[in-house]
Amino acid sequence: MYDFTDSIILITGSARGIGFAIAKAFATARATVIVLDLNEDAVDQAVKLLIDTGGKAYGYVGNVTDAAGIEKVFGQIVKDHNKIDTLINNAGITRDNLMIRMKEEDWQMVMDINLKGSFICTQKAFKHMMRARQGSIINISSVIGLMGNAGQANYAASKGGLIAFTKSCAKEFASRNVRVNAVAPGFIETEMTASLSDEVRAEYGKAIPLGKMGSPDDVARLCLFLASEDSAYITGQTIAVDGGLTMH
């Protein structure tokens, strides 16, 4: 069992889905969890759920694509809590379509939130981490960024870019004892996958060596490891949580 007492863990896009599962895992491990998301009501609800289950959580509203806004929010977080130990760049969206039909605005929106948003949050968080000479940054990528997928050129490009971004930041930040790693979830049971038909789910199962979809908790457990001292000698890596779908 991990113990993150006195650790400040900031997770973007954590009001629901995989982000909330990560927040819940860190709250259970006694961290002070910072929920950052776009919708104030969703943030308040997520924080309440974490506190009601015995966690320590605080909510902030912010748009990861707004550099000036994020710098202000991160500054307020450090003012309120003295530091940021771990940043988890989880905020992301999909706008799927075949390339021939993909609208430029759907390409740009996915790139802005998934990739530019991670750049902005990483840059602003590192300013505080470099002074402390410690920290862990975890970028939530995707197996789609490793292998591509028809109908998801924008998403694949953003998540593949995030993997390359992770490696570059790991090399830049290592001298300040700040580690940067990426997590690449495969097919995970979420609200989006819950609407899939039994036939589609069966096809996914056939493609996964372990024969089933993963859970958000599978992703959360890896984040706990990457934020902990157990991974002190790991940086610049992309670790897939995909039941063996990608092997490299």
Side-chain angles (χ1 to χ4, degrees):
M1 172 102 178
Y2 291 105
D3 187 347
F4 284 92
T5 301
D6 299 328
S7 292
I8 308 299
I9 313 294
L10 168 55
I11 309 157
T12 70
S14 51
R16 60 188 181 89
I18 290 175
F20 181 74
I22 296 170
K24 189 175 177 182
F26 276 100
T28 300
R30 301 187 179 125
T32 297
V33 175
I34 307 299
V35 175
L36 178 71
D37 218 309
L38 264 177
N39 184 281
E40 187 171 1
D41 289 341
V43 167
D44 290 345
Q45 184 177 8
V47 168
K48 184 178 185 303
L49 285 170
L50 293 171
I51 292 173
D52 286 349
T53 54
K56 191 175 181 181
Y58 299 87
Y60 294 80
V61 176
N63 181 344
V64 297
T65 67
D66 175 9
I70 287 297
E71 184 161 28
K72 185 176 179 181
V73 170
F74 280 25
Q76 187 63 50
I77 290 168
V78 171
K79 184 178 179 181
D80 293 343
H81 307 284
N82 299 317
K83 58 178 180 171
I84 298 171
D85 293 297
T86 297
L87 166 68
I88 302 176
N89 285 310
N90 169 75
I93 62 165
T94 57
R95 290 292 184 274
D96 299 347
N97 213 332
L98 295 174
M99 263 295 294
I100 196 69
R101 297 175 187 159
M102 187 172 289
K103 296 177 181 177
E104 184 178 344
E105 55 263 36
D106 286 339
W107 170 276
Q108 195 60 53
M109 185 180 294
V110 168
M111 296 299 288
D112 281 349
I113 294 174
N114 296 7
L115 189 54
K116 178 184 172 184
S118 295
F119 154 69
I120 288 171
C121 291
T122 296
Q123 186 182 64
K124 305 313 177 189
F126 181 62
K127 287 182 179 179
H128 300 286
M129 291 178 174
M130 68 185 292
R131 297 189 192 104
R133 300 192 72 85
Q134 66 87 32
S136 176
I137 297 171
I138 303 167
N139 295 320
I140 305 299
S141 181
S142 169
V143 293
I144 304 304
L146 292 169
M147 65 184 191
N149 197 31
Q152 289 191 302
N154 50 0
Y155 185 74
S158 71
K159 293 301 188 177
L162 193 54
I163 289 169
F165 174 72
T166 296
K167 295 174 183 178
S168 294
C169 289
K171 290 183 177 181
E172 285 193 30
F173 299 174
S175 64
R176 298 303 180 107
N177 196 35
V178 175
R179 299 180 297 107
V180 190
N181 291 288
V183 174
F187 295 119
I188 304 295
E189 295 275 10
T190 63
E191 291 176 12
M192 284 191 292
T193 58
S195 62
L196 296 173
S197 68
D198 290 340
E199 292 77 12
V200 171
R201 294 168 73 87
E203 286 301 313
Y204 282 165
K206 289 177 186 176
I208 301 169
L210 287 181
K212 62 179 181 179
M213 289 189 184
S215 77
D217 290 339
D218 293 321
V219 179
R221 281 189 288 268
L222 179 55
C223 291
L224 289 171
F225 169 70
L226 290 174
S228 77
E229 285 301 308
D230 287 351
S231 61
Y233 199 56
I234 298 174
T235 195
Q237 303 304 308
T238 299
I239 304 174
V241 184
D242 65 359
L245 182 65
T246 59
M247 296 187 185
H248 56 88

